[in-house]
Amino acid sequence: MISALMPTYNRADLAFERGEGAWLYAVDGRRFLDFGAGIATSSLGHGHPHLVGAIAEQAGRVMHTSNLYRVPQAERLAARYVEASFADSAFFCNSGAEANEGMVKMMRKAMSETGRGERYRVICFDGAFHGRTLAMLAATGNKKYLAGFGPEVDGFDHVPFNNLNALRDAIGPETAGILVEPVQGEGGIRPASLDFLRGLRAACDEFGLILGMDEVQCGMGRTGKLFAHEWAGIAPDVMSIAKGIAGGFPMGAILATEAVAKHLVPGTHGTTFGGNPLACAAANAVLDVILAPGFLAEVDRKARRLWSALEAVVAEYPAVVTEVRGAGLILGLKGAVPNTELQNAFAAEGLLTVAAGDNVVRLVPPLVLTDADCDAAVEMIRRGARRCLPTPSSVAAK
Ligand SMILES: *Cc1c(COP(=O)(O)O)cnc(C)c1O
């Protein structure tokens, strides 16, 4: 018989009753270091007093009023995003997929309103992940995710990641724009090269296309800059963010330049919950922490420290892990053994991680982790790697 909770996930047999910082406490009394952060979402860790306080305070006043009225918390949040980014305007919604849907609508509308309505197609990349709605399945392009859900939504073309020649070849008379993750998350923590990102910007400028970035996973401080594209010294025309932006409260946003955003006039797009007072209070509290002087520099410092410690583990256990990849605190360990085996070994040592494509284990800890947390994680990873060492008999069996 089907479980009451629809069985769409393969869940680990673990449930948590509380968390503190980068640590989670299971109902059975065990303690885990959380290097999954709810899939790169609990950016301030668990029980962060400033975030908890802001949510409790706002919940006590008013949670939801709808977009029929002004929402001061949303106006303030939008102004802060605009101040801190390339964008001139922000739209708030509730998830990454919803933000991406809105971003693609915005691209198409901007083309249509500037006399180029035949340009509706978006170029995406192999290994991408943009969400699970019908259109974002097509943007993701993974055949496994598309199977059984009927005709694929039209309008998305795929080319190899980090290959500018292939990208330029794919641009046609129907192309509206490009959609890229500066660091592919689900696809296996694959960073775009900075030259590739600059090349995308140049191609969009040359052909009059819209550059869209999906920073749902890699944005909001995770790479050590507020947004990952900043490392390349370029900016998109429109960008989606979600996951960590409200520290675990469900929220997404689209940030855009005026040229792109101005075409979504009243009646063209909307969402009931989007940008309600409670979500915006959470997101404002997250921004208070991430934009505080020195916070992003600390993320960068901790990330570099973690990277070199992980490099040492790879050097010690090349038969188990072959590579560290990523940027900042969105890191991947590529397995020489199956990533699920690694993930289980790490969990057995008390470390929670997330599997990703390309046989990678994702390390996406809360941005507030301490050096002691880092050191503890590296020790668990080392011990986990030792558990996965091929035994003489398993080597013989191959
Ligand atoms: C998680 C993710 C999404 C989808 O976000 P949801 O909130 O699950 O809809 C989209 N793009 C990227 C890069 C993601 O990591």
Side-chain angles (χ1 to χ4, degrees):
M1 204 178 77
I2 192 169
S3 51
L5 187 56
M6 214 174 274
T8 43
Y9 302 101
N10 274 320
R11 299 171 190 271
D13 186 18
L14 272 174
F16 302 102
E17 61 179 7
R18 100 195 146 79
E20 201 182 317
W23 294 83
L24 275 174
Y25 297 80
V27 291
D28 63 10
R30 284 183 294 167
R31 180 173 99 129
F32 292 86
L33 185 49
D34 186 11
F35 265 48
I39 319 188
T41 292
S42 307
S43 46
L44 303 191
H46 305 285
H48 192 285
H50 182 62
L51 177 60
V52 171
I55 290 173
E57 210 253 344
Q58 188 60 52
R61 288 174 188 271
V62 61
M63 281 192 246
H64 179 81
T65 53
S66 90
N67 291 304
L68 297 173
Y69 311 103
R70 288 180 59 179
V71 179
Q73 296 81 358
E75 291 174 8
R76 172 161 180 255
L77 181 64
R80 296 175 83 189
Y81 283 160
V82 164
E83 168 73 25
S85 76
F86 70 94
D88 302 314
S89 200
F91 176 88
F92 297 126
C93 55
N94 310 287
S95 73
E98 191 189 2
N100 284 333
E101 289 273 342
M103 173 157 61
V104 170
K105 280 180 73 177
M106 222 180 262
M107 288 181 181
R108 289 184 178 184
K109 192 74 167 172
M111 285 295 160
S112 162
E113 294 293 317
T114 54
R116 297 175 289 170
E118 73 286 357
R119 292 190 173 270
Y120 71 99
R121 305 191 68 83
V122 176
I123 301 177
C124 305
F125 297 93
D126 295 346
F129 184 81
H130 299 300
R132 298 285 196 160
T133 58
L134 286 169
M136 287 311 113
L137 283 178
T140 295
N142 184 326
K143 295 294 167 220
K144 243 178 24 200
Y145 298 162
L146 282 156
F149 294 111
E152 194 173 327
V153 171
D154 180 38
F156 300 94
D157 301 308
H158 286 84
V159 298
F161 191 51
N162 274 330
N163 183 332
L164 270 182
N165 289 335
L167 176 275
R168 293 178 70 93
D169 280 348
I171 295 172
E174 296 184 335
T175 305
I178 296 170
L179 176 54
V180 66
E181 293 160 84
V183 181
Q184 286 190 343
E186 308 298 312
I189 313 296
R190 303 198 300 163
S193 77
L194 300 184
D195 277 338
F196 182 66
L197 293 178
R198 293 178 194 123
L200 296 182
R201 180 68 271 172
C204 284
D205 293 342
E206 184 179 338
F207 295 97
L209 308 180
I210 296 169
L211 180 56
M213 288 193 185
D214 179 342
E215 293 221 17
V216 165
Q217 189 159 162
C218 62
M220 205 44 76
R222 189 153 285 282
T223 65
K225 293 199 185 282
L226 189 58
F227 299 114
H229 65 261
E230 294 172 23
W231 289 105
I234 51 106
D237 302 299
V238 56
M239 174 174 73
S240 57
I241 52 177
K243 288 204 164 81
I245 69 171
F249 195 88
M251 191 178 190
I254 312 167
L255 308 189
T257 61
E258 181 170 8
V260 177
K262 69 180 179 193
H263 305 292
L264 281 194
V265 297
T268 55
H269 193 55
T271 181
T272 299
F273 294 117
N276 79 13
L278 188 57
C280 291
N284 271 309
V286 167
L287 264 193
D288 292 340
V289 173
I290 290 183
L291 293 181
F295 183 85
L296 289 172
E298 263 295 281
V299 170
D300 188 55
R301 183 193 64 78
K302 289 181 286 195
R304 289 172 196 274
R305 192 170 173 278
L306 177 59
W307 180 288
S308 50
L310 293 172
E311 288 281 12
V313 176
V314 168
E316 279 166 61
Y317 298 99
V320 180
V321 280
T322 59
E323 188 192 347
V324 188
R325 53 164 81 160
L329 291 177
I330 172 165
L331 296 177
L333 281 175
K334 179 145 170 89
V337 299
N339 59 353
T340 46
E341 196 179 308
L342 273 173
Q343 206 190 350
N344 290 338
F346 296 155
E349 296 293 344
L351 183 74
L352 302 175
T353 58
V354 188
D358 202 22
N359 202 37
V360 159
V361 175
R362 238 181 298 188
L363 307 173
V364 282
L367 307 184
V368 296
L369 89 170
T370 64
D371 283 344
D373 295 334
C374 259
D375 294 344
V378 170
E379 203 37 49
M380 292 172 187
I381 289 168
R382 182 172 276 113
R383 285 202 301 265
R386 209 171 291 147
R387 280 177 185 257
C388 295
L389 273 176
T391 59
S393 62
S394 77
V395 171
K398 287 176 189 161

